[in-house]
Amino acid sequence: MSFTDETAKKVREEFDRKRKAAHDDADARRAILYSRIPMIETIDKKLANTGLEVYKSAVNGENIDEKIAQMKRTTTELKKMRAEIMRENGFDEKFTDVIYECAKCSDTGYDGMHNCECFRRAMIKEAYLSSGLGGMLEEQSFESFSLSYYSDVKDSSGYSERERMSNILESAKLYAERFGNESAGECKNLIFFGGTGLGKTHLSTSIAKKVIEKGMSVVYDTASNILSAFEADKFSRNKSESLADKYLECDLLIIDDLGAEFKSQLTEASIYNLLNARICAGKAMIISTNLDDGKALMKAYNERITSRLLGEFRAFSFVGSDIRFQKRLRAKNSK
């Protein structure tokens, strides 16, 4: 699946709007010019009619080659006269030109038979906005993920927090790099365990950024919001519009804060149905939870859910101390 139809529609409408605005602006400048120098309007009308005269000649069986040569001479003379008159009156000869944001595609979004690079950038930007990650995509990336917040003191197992988090970082990078081109049997789903402020959301966002840049759709939301959407759909009278469809259809679904939602039979059924539907469809998920590990997960959810989460997801345990608190402390000490 590439960018969603909704994303493409929004961007195409924006390009149509930009192109129309560019033409409207040029028309406004042309009207100013014509009001001050009526001769320019006369010249422009003559320039516009040269092609029509050639067409009429062709219909009448006249010598087209001679007519085309004459048209070229006339056009050159008229353009030269137009430029001279404008300069004499203090106007740049390109005063009435249409000014597009992208000179390469003239704001059509197409460079020949292919989408222009500016259109692709606009698609990525719109996909950022529709992902639910908002400004986090601007601030959080693999490059901005710092291992300096993790201790390099080795524990009894012989590994430090920094070494463990370095391994998780590299695994996340590899996951993002391979996304959409996974080998047979490779796990498409990740679950991040660990307390608040250990970098789970940062790495999820970093992966999302790379996936979006590949042209695939990402939706990020909290478990509570997702379950509220499923509940609203269940009791809605309007069955033609679904709030939950986006969570089922996107290429990558990022579920944040699993375990913090209100639990009931309905929410557990919704969680299972969501997990099962996406797993059966081969669609990827990343889940973040403040729960410590699989044992805590088994205490929080029924066997059907934990079987999916522990059997179909690759688990990573985040370690360390709250990075947000460390950042505030560093900022305070630097003053």
Side-chain angles (χ1 to χ4, degrees), residues 89-146:
N89 286 272
F91 285 93
D92 186 282
E93 60 185 271
K94 295 183 178 181
F95 179 72
T96 56
D97 287 1
V98 181
I99 302 172
Y100 299 108
E101 283 190 18
C102 179
K104 193 172 185 179
C105 73
S106 300
D107 292 348
T108 62
Y110 292 102
D111 180 13
M113 298 295 291
H114 304 285
N115 284 332
C116 185
E117 183 58 32
C118 71
F119 187 81
R120 174 172 167 75
R121 288 196 301 270
M123 291 281 277
I124 290 173
K125 182 178 179 180
E126 179 58 36
Y128 280 177
L129 295 173
S130 63
S131 70
L133 286 159
M136 288 191 291
L137 284 165
E138 299 296 328
E139 300 172 1
Q140 298 179 351
S141 65
F142 288 128
E143 291 72 25
S144 65
F145 189 87
S146 175

Side-chain angles (χ1 to χ4, degrees), residues 186-327:
E186 189 171 351
C187 186
K188 289 187 174 185
N189 309 307
L190 309 178
I191 184 166
F192 295 159
F193 290 102
T196 301
L198 300 184
K200 301 189 299 297
T201 299
H202 193 136
L203 284 189
S204 296
T205 304
S206 302
I207 292 170
K209 191 168 189 175
K210 293 295 183 182
V211 172
I212 289 172
E213 288 171 357
K214 289 184 176 187
M216 288 174 272
S217 57
V218 176
V219 172
Y220 164 94
D221 215 333
T222 64
S224 295
N225 287 343
I226 294 172
L227 293 171
S228 293
F230 276 95
E231 185 175 356
D233 280 357
K234 182 177 178 63
F235 296 107
S236 174
R237 294 181 179 179
N238 185 1
K239 300 302 181 183
S240 62
E241 293 184 8
S242 170
L243 297 174
D245 278 354
K246 65 179 180 179
Y247 303 119
L248 295 167
E249 296 172 355
C250 59
D251 293 309
L252 173 61
L253 174 62
I254 300 176
I255 305 174
D256 194 23
D257 218 11
L258 184 73
E261 73 281 357
F262 175 78
K263 293 179 179 62
S264 66
Q265 287 186 337
L266 177 58
T267 58
E268 290 211 335
S270 296
I271 292 172
Y272 176 78
N273 289 336
L274 173 62
L275 295 175
N276 194 56
R278 289 193 62 87
I279 290 169
C280 289
K283 292 182 176 292
M285 289 173 279
I286 297 175
I287 294 178
S288 293
T289 176
N290 289 342
L291 297 173
D292 291 332
D293 51 28
K295 290 182 179 179
L297 195 69
M298 292 174 72
K299 291 180 180 178
Y301 295 99
N302 63 40
E303 186 178 352
R304 291 204 309 166
I305 292 175
T306 54
S307 175
R308 286 301 196 187
L309 290 174
L310 299 178
E312 300 287 348
F313 285 72
R314 186 180 176 191
F316 293 93
S317 294
F318 283 58
V319 295
S321 302
D322 191 326
I323 293 173
R324 300 184 189 94
F325 176 77
Q326 291 187 65
K327 285 182 177 179

